[in-house]
Amino acid sequence: MSKREDTIAARLARTLAERIVRGEMAPGVRLAQDHIAEEFGVSQASVRDAFRRLEAQGLVVSLPRRGVRVASFDIRQVHEVAEMRAALEVLALKHAAPFLTPALLDEAQAAAAACDAADNVEDWEAANRRFHRLIVSTCDMPRLLAAIDDLHAVSARFLLAGWQSTWERRTDHDHRAILEALRRGDAANACLVLEKHVQLIGRAPGTLPAQTAASRFAIVG
């Protein structure tokens, strides 16, 4: 695949990922390769590559004789993503902390404040993702950051599925504690708070739609 085709596939994957994360494509829905190619005016090869990228993110699955479909999820997957995020984000923060500038920490503080002020789930998710990205941005480990970005996309999907109709403002004390530790140069404590913070995913009340048994979880990390 040429560099231009690779760029097209990456943009297409991002667009489709956004649709899946926002719930515009329900779990189990088949993604028709020819229809997507026609809609976006791209080659079938670009669509196939976009599908591979989405599958690597865990947003779609390729099933024999059933084609590519939007992936479903359950509480076990929520917990899996929490454990992975905790491990990878702590690793990134250990490497990033020595290089975080006061200006970057100020940006992270602004993102944390935006989380606390958010009155809808979409705004909270965007601000939360920005906070977590900023505090690890100086780790100088691009592959690690790419893996973390993928996990945040999956977390966003869980969050938007579970909280669309029940969102309420909240104050995130963990965000504040992480920033305070980083400002005083205590990276070890910042990592400890971050690990526990992310592991809360799936532990607190929330409700998955279309489930009579009310499997309960929260995305708070």
Side-chain angles (χ1 to χ4, degrees):
M1 176 175 289
S2 70
K3 185 175 181 179
R4 179 176 179 276
E5 288 174 325
D6 181 67
T7 302
I8 291 170
R11 287 201 302 264
L12 178 58
R14 285 195 298 270
T15 300
L16 294 175
E18 288 171 3
R19 291 184 180 183
I20 294 169
V21 166
R22 290 196 302 263
E24 296 174 14
M25 295 178 169
V29 166
R30 182 174 178 273
L31 303 183
Q33 181 175 299
D34 53 345
H35 291 168
I36 290 173
E38 182 178 354
E39 177 184 354
F40 291 94
V42 300
S43 69
Q44 302 249 352
S46 292
V47 177
R48 286 194 296 271
D49 187 63
F51 285 171
R52 284 192 289 270
R53 294 166 189 255
L54 293 172
E55 189 166 18
Q57 289 181 270
L59 294 175
V60 305
V61 291
S62 181
L63 303 172
R65 296 182 297 279
R66 296 187 62 198
V68 175
R69 294 179 179 270
V70 176
S72 59
F73 60 87
D74 58 30
I75 194 65
R76 290 171 298 178
Q77 291 168 294
V78 176
H79 290 160
E80 179 185 18
V81 168
E83 293 295 328
M84 292 176 68
R85 272 190 53 195
L88 297 186
E89 289 185 41
V90 166
L91 174 62
L93 185 57
K94 286 178 181 177
H95 288 270
F99 307 104
L100 286 168
T101 64
L104 272 173
L105 291 175
D106 287 346
E107 287 187 58
Q109 186 168 337
C115 283
D116 293 347
D119 55 12
N120 63 76
V121 64
E122 291 88 355
D123 289 349
W124 184 91
E125 193 282 323
N128 183 66
R129 195 186 301 208
R130 178 166 171 75
F131 171 84
H132 282 265
R133 191 60 161 79
L134 282 166
I135 63 172
V136 299
S137 61
T138 54
C139 72
D140 195 27
M141 302 174 78
R143 290 184 180 179
L144 177 60
L145 291 177
I148 291 171
D149 286 345
D150 285 348
L151 290 171
H152 269 278
V154 179
S155 282
R157 186 182 176 215
F158 298 156
L159 171 71
L160 295 176
W163 287 96
Q164 282 289 2
S165 60
T166 58
W167 185 258
E168 57 186 39
R169 286 189 183 186
R170 65 209 53 213
T171 298
D172 197 317
H173 298 288
D174 285 347
H175 284 174
R176 294 180 181 181
I178 291 166
L179 286 171
E180 288 170 4
L182 290 171
R183 287 191 189 279
R184 65 175 182 265
D186 189 353
N189 190 56
C191 288
L192 182 62
V193 176
L194 177 63
E195 182 177 20
K196 292 180 178 179
H197 173 69
V198 175
Q199 286 178 337
L200 286 174
I201 295 172
R203 313 296 177 184
T207 304
L208 276 170
Q211 288 192 328
T212 56
S215 295
R216 300 176 73 76
F217 73 100
I219 305 297
V220 293

